[in-house]
Amino acid sequence: MLKIVYQSLFISFLSISIAVAAESTVTVEAFQAPAWKQNTQGKIALKPGMTLQKNDKIKTGKTAKVVLRLSEGSHIKLGEESTFLLNELSNTAENVNQTQNDSIFKSAVQVLAGAFRFTTSKLGKRNKRNIDIRLVTATVGIRGTDVWGRATPEQDFICLLEGKITVNRDDEPEVTMADPLSLYVANRNKTAEALSVADEQVVAKLALETELDQGKGIILEQGEYTVYLLSSTNRNDALKTQKKLDQLGYATSIVEANIKNQLWHRVAIKNFASLADARYFAENAKQALGFDGAWVIKL
């Protein structure tokens, strides 16, 4: 098994540090549907602001992407057709006299398939973290840096964007990576390739796999736009449609409207980030979901 250990890039000399939240959390910040959360209770469509629990799994569909926010100030971004599993989440102190400000955010996750990127904000770098991201054969130990990777049945692919890491693999010498754009490729059942330097244009293209596509259906908790897919006087029909869409990875709400003394039940998808995002989704709803005549309202 391959293990990558990240050495922290930032040591704070401030007398007052930024406190890590008392309760460690991983939250769905934004996404492009279809995407699901799956656990022992079943599978449901992803919603903005949803908090993940231990053993929750996130899956993204074709063209879908997800941004997860960690309470210590970092983000994990997932590309299309990815599978992500939260194995462990805690907030600990290194010793009994340690204050909350010195506590360590700990998490262990798996990227079972697809592309991912881990990034840390400037303020987030002041917090202590111990995050392990396991791919198929590689484990990326993160202490504060920026890394992009992908897990496929054939290989684990890791590109260092910032920081310094050491790479350990069974029966192979330890490798140190300290230069930006350093590239490590571990193919299945083969000796790891020699370190190489990734082309900046190639890295820029890869990065797009985990970045949300602006204006193309982004949903987030503060989104002000709603797309109505259909309106029916039969509540059961609306509920059946809602259940179907949930299974397809689209979280919906039933919104009631009284028009000329007639009660209508509207199936809506809320929280689109912008008018452009909502219109894009509405325009594509016919081809992707079979709904004709979807319309947009700002709440």
Side-chain angles (χ1 to χ4, degrees), residues 2 10 47 52 57 60 66 97 101 127 143 152 164-165 172-173 188 208 210 218 227 230 236-237 293 297:
L2 173 67
F10 187 95
K47 296 181 180 179
L52 303 188
K57 182 182 290 185
T60 62
V66 173
N97 297 318
N101 287 6
N127 294 326
R143 307 297 178 264
T152 72
K164 181 179 180 181
I165 62 175
E172 295 183 19
R188 301 291 178 267
L208 294 177
T210 52
I218 296 175
V227 174
L230 65 81
N236 286 332
D237 287 345
I297 291 181

Side-chain angles (χ1 to χ4, degrees), residues 36-267:
W36 304 261
K37 182 181 80 169
Q38 184 175 359
N39 52 34
T40 55
Q41 297 178 345
K43 183 171 72 171
I44 61 173
L46 215 60
K47 296 181 180 179
M50 182 180 284
T51 299
L52 303 188
Q53 306 297 326
K54 182 179 178 181
N55 296 324
D56 279 351
K57 182 182 290 185
I58 297 293
K59 300 192 74 172
T60 62
K62 186 68 175 177
T63 73
K65 298 174 183 178
V66 173
V67 177
L68 302 174
R69 181 178 69 250
L70 283 59
S71 56
E72 46 72 66
S74 299
H75 289 86
I76 295 177
K77 303 175 181 181
L78 305 173
E80 66 175 356
E81 298 183 318
S82 293
T83 302
F84 170 93
L85 176 64
L86 177 60
N87 291 322
E88 178 186 351
L89 184 65
S90 65
N91 199 44
T92 63
E94 291 180 319
N95 58 69
V96 295
N97 297 318
Q98 195 167 19
T99 66
Q100 178 179 314
N101 287 6
D102 295 322
S103 59
I104 300 175
F105 177 98
K106 296 187 67 176
S107 180
V109 305
Q110 286 181 268
V111 178
L112 302 173
F116 79 93
R117 183 173 180 177
F118 176 92
T119 60
T120 302
S121 65
K122 291 182 179 179
L123 290 178
K125 288 183 180 179
R126 298 179 181 179
N127 294 326
K128 295 182 179 180
R129 65 184 55 82
N130 185 348
I131 301 170
D132 289 335
I133 301 179
R134 177 168 175 78
L135 307 185
V136 179
T137 63
T139 299
V140 182
I142 297 176
R143 307 297 178 264
T145 191
D146 190 347
V147 61
W148 191 96
R150 184 196 290 122
T152 72
E154 292 78 27
Q155 65 176 207
D156 287 336
F157 177 99
I158 300 166
C159 183
L160 177 66
L161 302 178
E162 179 184 286
K164 181 179 180 181
I165 62 175
T166 55
V167 181
N168 292 281
R169 201 179 189 207
D170 292 344
D171 302 321
E172 295 183 19
E174 181 177 272
V175 178
T176 298
M177 298 170 64
D179 298 323
L181 304 183
S182 294
L183 189 62
Y184 187 93
V185 179
N187 292 298
R188 301 291 178 267
N189 303 318
K190 293 183 180 180
T191 302
E193 298 178 9
L195 283 184
S196 59
V197 178
D199 182 88
E200 290 189 16
Q201 292 183 347
V202 172
V203 172
K205 185 176 181 180
L206 291 175
L208 294 177
E209 294 184 26
T210 52
E211 294 300 317
L212 296 176
D213 300 307
Q214 299 300 315
K216 293 188 176 181
I218 296 175
I219 296 173
L220 73 168
E221 196 168 8
Q222 297 78 26
E224 298 181 323
Y225 293 87
T226 295
V227 174
Y228 289 101
L229 296 172
L230 65 81
S231 186
S232 174
T233 57
N234 189 318
R235 180 171 176 80
N236 286 332
D237 287 345
L239 290 173
K240 288 180 181 178
T241 299
Q242 182 182 40
K243 183 177 180 180
K244 176 183 178 181
L245 288 171
D246 187 86
Q247 294 174 343
L248 292 174
Y250 300 89
T252 62
S253 301
I254 302 296
V255 180
E256 295 183 344
N258 195 316
I259 302 175
K260 295 181 179 181
N261 296 321
Q262 176 69 62
L263 186 62
W264 293 82
H265 308 277
R266 295 173 172 175
V267 180

